[in-house]
């Protein structure tokens, strides 16, 4: 039989013997592990979190062991041939995200090690930080500063260079941990199985301390791609349902982006009737139109779509909804058959990259680390501007600045640079 951690999978197989799975793997350790390894637990705003710093070697070893055990079970009956791929996740919401500066001993040690790779010696660190007595072995994580104000748009350099370095390290170390897990997991997988990460939410996260701004560092890694819900900031009826990251750069490097539609459908258990029903005042057709819109986004911009009931509340327990999904699936299948590619919207019929998207929206990850002002600026630049570009009525691409500088993009008549604040 399957290990206890796969009991939900076993129950699904009992109900649907033909089921296949994309396994989301929670790599946050249990409380007993964190209690026994307190120095490895992340600390944010003086509080121990229920996850570790991703640089913790002890946690990384445990995560690799857990993935090995899972892959071994998934490669044997009754799961053999039924697992489409894996989505390893950790930190907040299992989405590789942090809500502040992690000041744990493990992260401090990781930061100092990173500084040792960035700066040649203590003298170089002192020159960059303009701080006499600073040392690679004694450097401290800077005290967090407010990111809500609009007066201080950027960090004051060189006095606040430690913040720039720490935020850069936070994203790079997060991406490195994800890539290392992919390196470990890929040889354990069967043909065609994917490793996807909930990462690279460039347009969705407003503060650089979340750690989501090193997509460019792993865009050529062993990862097969990324997975994210549609935007949480413009997802209602009549809104854009945009993707969270620079999906066209992901495709440009041969990776995938899978969209997740976790729309609240209003379906729920009615204790009075004992049946699942949609809440009063919510029209079926409004829900279905949001799902159609999200499907269109996936058909045109992504590599696939997952319909999700993330809390297991019965949101998808509706026969009419599944008839809609059946129709949408047929449309998606036929579109791929015509174009013969995993990303039909990104290729012409000869298989060449499309070069007639007149608007290219360009985001720079490096500049995020120099930006002190968080939500007031980031919401306008990344979130609202992304949504406005999608409403503009012209084909649009979303890319990383580095791809443009590296000459990886076909020429376009219009480039919209969101945050080219720090150009060398």
């Amino acid at each position: 039989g399957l290990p206890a951690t796969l009991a939900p999978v076993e129950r699904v197989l009992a109900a649907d013997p033909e089921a296949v799975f994309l396994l989301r793997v929670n790599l946050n350790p249990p409380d007993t592990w964190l209690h026994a390894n307190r120095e490895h637990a992340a600390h944010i705003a003086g509080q121990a979190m229920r996850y570790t710093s991703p640089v913790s070697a002890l946690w990384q070893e445990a995560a690799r062991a857990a993935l090995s055990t899972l892959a071994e079970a998934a490669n044997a009956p009754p799961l053999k041939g039924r697992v489409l791929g894996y989505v390893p996740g950790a930190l907040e919401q299992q989405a590789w995200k942090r809500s502040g500066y992690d000041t744990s001993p493990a992260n401090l040690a990781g930061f100092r090690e990173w500084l040792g790779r960035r700066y040649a010696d203590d003298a170089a660190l002192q020159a960059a930080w303009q701080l006499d007595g600073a040392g690679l072995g004694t450097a401290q994580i800077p005290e967090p500063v407010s990111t809500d104000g609009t007066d201080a748009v950027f960090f004051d350099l060189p006095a606040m260079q430690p913040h720039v370095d720490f935020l850069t390290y936070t994203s790079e170390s997060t991406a490195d941990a994800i890539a290392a897990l992919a390196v470990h997991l890929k040889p354990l997988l069967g043909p065609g199985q994917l490793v996807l990460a909930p990462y690279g939410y460039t347009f969705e996260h407003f503060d650089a301390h979340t750690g989501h701004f090193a997509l460019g560092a792993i865009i050529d890694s062993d990862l097969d791609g990324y997975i994210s819900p549609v935007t949480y900031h413009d997802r209602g009826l009549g809104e854009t349902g945009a993707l969270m990251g620079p999906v066209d750069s992901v495709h440009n490097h041969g990776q995938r982006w899978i969209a997740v539609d976790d729309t609240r459908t209003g379906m729920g258990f009615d204790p009075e009737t004992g049946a699942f029903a949609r809440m009063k005042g919510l029209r079926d057709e409004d829900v279905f139109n949001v799902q159609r819109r999200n499907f269109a986004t996936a058909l045109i911009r992504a590599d696939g779509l997952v319909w999700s009931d993330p809390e297991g509340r019965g949101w998808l327990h509706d026969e009419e909804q599944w008839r809609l999904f059946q129709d949408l699936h047929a449309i998606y299948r036929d579109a791929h058959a015509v174009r013969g590619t995993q990303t039909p919207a990104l290729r012409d019929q000869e298989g060449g990259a499309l070069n007639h998207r007149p608007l290219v929206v360009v985001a720079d990850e490096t500049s995020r680390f120099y930006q002190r002002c968080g939500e007031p600026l980031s919401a306008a630049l990344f979130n609202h501007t992304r949504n406005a570009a999608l409403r503009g009525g012209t084909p649009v691409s979303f890319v990383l600045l580095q791809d443009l500088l590296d000459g990886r993009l076909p020429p376009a008549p219009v480039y919209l640079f969101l945050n080219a604040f720090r150009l060398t």
Side-chain angles (χ1 to χ4, degrees):
L2 296 173
T5 52
L6 288 172
V9 172
E10 210 156 23
R11 289 196 293 273
V12 172
L13 280 174
D16 180 4
E18 297 182 4
V20 293
F21 301 89
L22 183 64
L23 297 177
R24 182 173 180 176
V25 188
N26 181 4
L27 293 174
N28 287 330
D31 290 344
T32 51
W33 191 97
L34 289 169
H35 184 76
N37 301 281
R38 296 175 187 272
E39 69 277 14
H40 293 269
H43 281 75
I44 294 177
Q47 212 171 17
M49 312 305 291
R50 297 182 69 178
Y51 54 81
T52 69
S53 168
V55 300
S56 164
L58 190 64
W59 169 79
Q60 289 179 6
E61 181 182 357
R64 289 193 297 269
L67 289 172
S68 296
T69 301
L70 178 62
E72 182 179 4
N75 287 335
L79 271 184
K80 186 174 183 180
R82 297 181 178 277
V83 176
L84 302 176
Y86 298 79
V87 184
L91 309 186
E92 293 185 13
Q93 302 167 352
Q94 302 169 43
W96 300 102
K97 173 189 173 184
R98 277 161 285 200
S99 58
Y101 286 26
D102 175 8
T103 59
S104 65
N107 206 43
L108 175 59
F111 182 44
R112 288 173 175 173
E113 184 180 335
W114 181 88
L115 289 172
R117 296 192 298 270
R118 188 173 185 87
Y119 297 105
D121 50 31
D122 288 354
L125 179 68
Q126 291 166 14
W129 286 13
Q130 290 292 289
L131 186 62
D132 293 338
L136 297 174
T138 58
Q140 298 296 315
I141 293 172
E143 287 290 326
V145 295
S146 171
T147 61
D148 296 333
T150 55
D151 293 335
V153 174
F154 303 108
F155 287 113
D156 182 21
L157 300 180
M160 303 186 85
Q161 183 65 37
H163 290 273
V164 175
D165 285 344
F166 182 71
L167 293 173
T168 305
Y169 154 77
T170 297
S171 281
E172 289 186 0
S173 61
T174 303
D176 287 347
I178 296 170
L181 292 175
V183 167
H184 175 77
L185 188 54
K186 284 295 283 187
L188 306 177
L189 304 188
Q193 289 182 327
L194 304 176
V195 180
L196 305 171
Y199 188 74
Y201 299 176
T202 308
F203 301 111
E204 203 73 5
H205 289 172
F206 297 146
D207 286 299
H209 61 235
T210 61
H212 263 253
F213 302 104
L215 179 66
I218 56 174
I219 206 165
D220 293 311
S221 70
D222 282 3
L223 275 173
D224 293 293
Y226 310 90
I227 186 168
S228 81
V230 297
T231 178
Y232 284 118
H233 298 287
D234 201 57
R235 60 159 39 198
L237 188 65
E239 296 181 321
T240 63
L243 299 178
M244 291 186 175
V247 63
D248 296 289
S249 273
V250 168
H251 289 141
N252 195 28
H253 287 258
Q255 291 183 323
R256 304 183 184 192
W257 195 286
I258 306 297
V260 176
D261 182 352
D262 56 358
T263 297
R264 292 179 182 269
T265 64
M267 292 296 297
F269 180 71
D270 186 342
E272 293 184 7
T273 64
F276 276 92
R278 189 162 278 112
M279 68 173 61
K280 295 177 181 178
L282 185 61
R283 298 194 316 160
D284 297 6
E285 195 60 23
D286 289 345
V287 173
F288 297 159
N289 279 336
V290 169
Q291 291 172 328
R292 290 185 182 106
R293 188 271 321 280
N294 294 341
F295 166 80
T297 295
L299 178 67
I300 294 169
R301 309 207 63 86
D303 297 280
L305 177 67
V306 175
W307 288 293
S308 173
D309 173 9
E311 299 177 13
R313 300 285 184 87
W315 292 357
L316 305 180
H317 196 79
D318 177 20
E319 289 188 13
E320 187 177 356
Q321 197 170 191
W322 281 97
R323 284 193 289 271
L324 169 66
F325 293 167
Q326 185 178 29
D327 293 342
L328 298 180
H329 179 268
I331 293 170
Y332 193 90
R333 181 195 60 218
D334 293 346
H336 281 292
V338 169
R339 294 180 172 93
T341 172
Q342 287 292 332
T343 51
L346 298 178
R347 301 286 170 181
D348 61 28
Q349 292 189 1
E350 286 71 45
L354 289 178
N355 60 5
H356 54 265
R357 287 189 174 173
L359 175 61
V360 177
V361 177
V362 185
D364 180 27
E365 292 183 309
T366 301
S367 290
R368 295 298 290 266
F369 308 132
Y370 292 84
Q371 177 190 326
R372 174 173 175 172
C373 180
E375 181 167 354
L377 180 60
S378 294
L381 286 181
F382 301 101
N383 206 270
H384 300 164
T385 306
R386 172 201 62 188
N387 300 339
L390 288 170
R391 288 189 174 96
T394 186
V396 58
S397 296
F398 297 94
V399 303
L400 293 174
L401 174 64
Q402 194 59 49
D403 273 358
L404 182 63
L405 299 181
D406 289 345
R408 297 186 63 101
L409 305 177
V414 179
Y415 296 90
L416 176 58
F417 294 90
L418 301 183
N419 65 326
F421 299 143
R422 183 73 177 182
L423 298 179
T424 63

